[in-house]
Amino acid sequence: MDSELKEEIPVHEEFILCGGVETQVLKCGPWTDLFNDQSVKRPKLLIFIIPDSNAQEIKDIYGLNGQIEHKLAFLRTHVPKDMKLVLIGHSIGSYFTLQMLKRVPELLVIRAFLLFPTIERMSESPNGRIATPLLCWFRYVLYVTGYLLLKPCPEKIKSLLIRRCLQLMNLENEFSPLNVLEPFCLANAAYLGGQEMMEVVKRDDETIKEHLCKLTFYYGTIDPWCPKEYYEDIKKDFPEGDIRLCEKNIPHAFITHFNQEVANMIADSLKDDLSKM
């Protein structure tokens, strides 16, 4: 991106009640309330990022179905129906994205990016073969171990550990991720992970076919969650689709060191869509 095009984009953090649970929302841009803001500054497009996991009450909010309904509840309560959307899903967020398109096909989605998509055969992937027994059979051992080790640990020690890890990975800590070491959060992550291993099995070809013109898949060459074989299979079944294979050896957890490369790829891919608005 050219240096003269770079500008300081405001980022702020909010916590809202969505689906019966407190939800962290990071907003990039000057907007605050899309419903009540009718000024010329109101954006024409919302880019909704659905990461690897995190109104009316939602049953089993921390399970796979509950997480999908949670994202839809946010859109229903905080985004006007006439707002055009770009969905960006990473890892299991790609599965959420396909399910959102399936359940609410009237969403005004102009493009959906599925990055390193775990949308099929998760338990058969190299990482899945290791994670499945841990998350499905020994989950309660993880619960007890995490509780015994982390619950009595002082907040200052947790904060120090996290800051040290971020420094080793050369990451900036703009928003504190202290809650990742809370036993409650770890238990919820393990619970969701177990469901992913058991339920994300068959690729939803019907939904992919219906929305293929607005989907962009981005697979990795060194991804132990969705190996190159999965890319080859979907490319063979949907040869006309925008299905790409990374040529830069970007890992599945790209956010740690390759976030700018992926952001540039998405920005370049969106130029044609945005020029038509």
Side-chain angles (χ1 to χ4, degrees):
M1 186 179 294
D2 296 337
S3 59
E4 62 266 19
L5 295 179
K6 290 183 179 180
E7 58 178 303
E8 191 68 25
I9 299 176
V11 178
H12 61 281
E13 178 184 39
E14 291 183 11
F15 286 87
I16 63 172
L17 190 65
C18 182
V21 294
E22 189 177 42
T23 303
Q24 182 191 35
V25 179
L26 300 181
K27 293 182 178 180
C28 301
W31 63 278
T32 55
D33 187 341
L34 292 175
F35 276 105
N36 296 319
D37 185 0
Q38 300 299 324
S39 68
V40 293
K41 294 183 179 180
R42 182 178 183 266
K44 298 179 180 179
L45 175 75
L46 176 68
I47 298 179
F48 186 42
I49 301 176
I50 308 166
D52 187 12
S53 338
N54 257 296
Q56 64 195 52
E57 294 291 333
I58 297 176
K59 184 179 179 181
D60 195 21
I61 184 67
Y62 298 112
L64 199 58
N65 179 70
Q67 284 294 291
I68 296 164
E69 290 299 323
H70 175 258
K71 310 307 181 269
L72 291 173
F74 175 83
L75 292 178
R76 283 194 298 266
T77 55
H78 294 277
V79 179
K81 290 183 179 180
D82 62 348
M83 177 67 67
K84 291 183 174 62
L85 299 169
V86 171
L87 303 181
I88 303 176
H90 168 239
S91 193
I92 195 62
S94 300
Y95 178 84
F96 295 164
T97 299
L98 287 178
Q99 286 295 309
M100 290 166 67
L101 291 171
K102 180 178 183 177
R103 299 182 188 193
V104 191
E106 62 270 21
L107 287 174
L108 298 181
V109 176
I110 64 171
R111 177 66 56 183
F113 292 90
L114 282 64
L115 309 175
F116 304 91
T118 53
I119 57 175
E120 60 172 314
R121 294 177 283 176
M122 284 196 67
S123 63
E124 298 177 25
S125 68
N127 272 5
R129 287 193 289 269
I130 299 172
T132 298
L134 290 175
L135 296 174
C136 298
W137 305 337
F138 302 115
R139 192 171 80 237
Y140 294 102
V141 176
L142 295 176
Y143 289 174
V144 174
T145 303
Y147 186 87
L148 292 177
L149 291 177
L150 296 175
K151 191 64 177 178
C153 186
E155 297 297 310
K156 289 185 177 180
I157 300 298
K158 292 180 185 178
S159 180
L160 181 63
L161 288 173
I162 291 174
R163 284 202 304 270
R164 182 56 180 159
C165 289
L166 291 174
Q167 289 171 357
L168 291 174
M169 293 187 291
N170 294 319
L171 295 178
E172 295 181 3
N173 185 19
E174 185 171 355
F175 297 100
S176 175
L178 187 61
N179 58 352
V180 300
L181 290 183
E182 289 296 330
F184 177 74
C185 295
L186 293 175
N188 288 333
Y191 174 67
L192 176 61
Q195 288 197 0
E196 292 172 18
M197 298 304 114
M198 300 301 294
E199 296 184 28
V200 182
V201 179
K202 189 176 184 300
R203 193 179 66 210
D204 189 351
D205 286 351
E206 183 177 344
T207 299
I208 292 173
K209 182 178 180 181
E210 182 179 352
H211 299 279
L212 188 62
C213 64
K214 63 182 72 169
L215 297 177
T216 294
F217 295 85
Y218 193 76
Y219 283 85
T221 54
I222 54 171
D223 190 343
W225 283 111
C226 40
K228 188 177 177 181
E229 169 195 347
Y230 293 7
Y231 160 79
E232 293 169 346
D233 289 345
I234 192 173
K235 187 70 174 178
K236 180 177 64 177
D237 293 338
F238 298 97
E240 70 280 18
D242 185 6
I243 304 170
R244 312 178 190 182
L245 185 65
C246 175
E247 299 177 350
K248 301 179 180 179
N249 286 335
I250 296 177
H252 184 88
F254 67 85
I255 191 65
T256 52
H257 295 293
F258 294 91
N259 54 331
Q260 191 61 56
E261 288 86 345
V262 175
N264 289 340
M265 181 274 294
I266 293 175
D268 290 340
S269 300
L270 274 176
K271 285 180 179 177
D272 288 340
D273 293 311
L274 297 180
S275 66
K276 299 173 184 176
M277 293 184 62

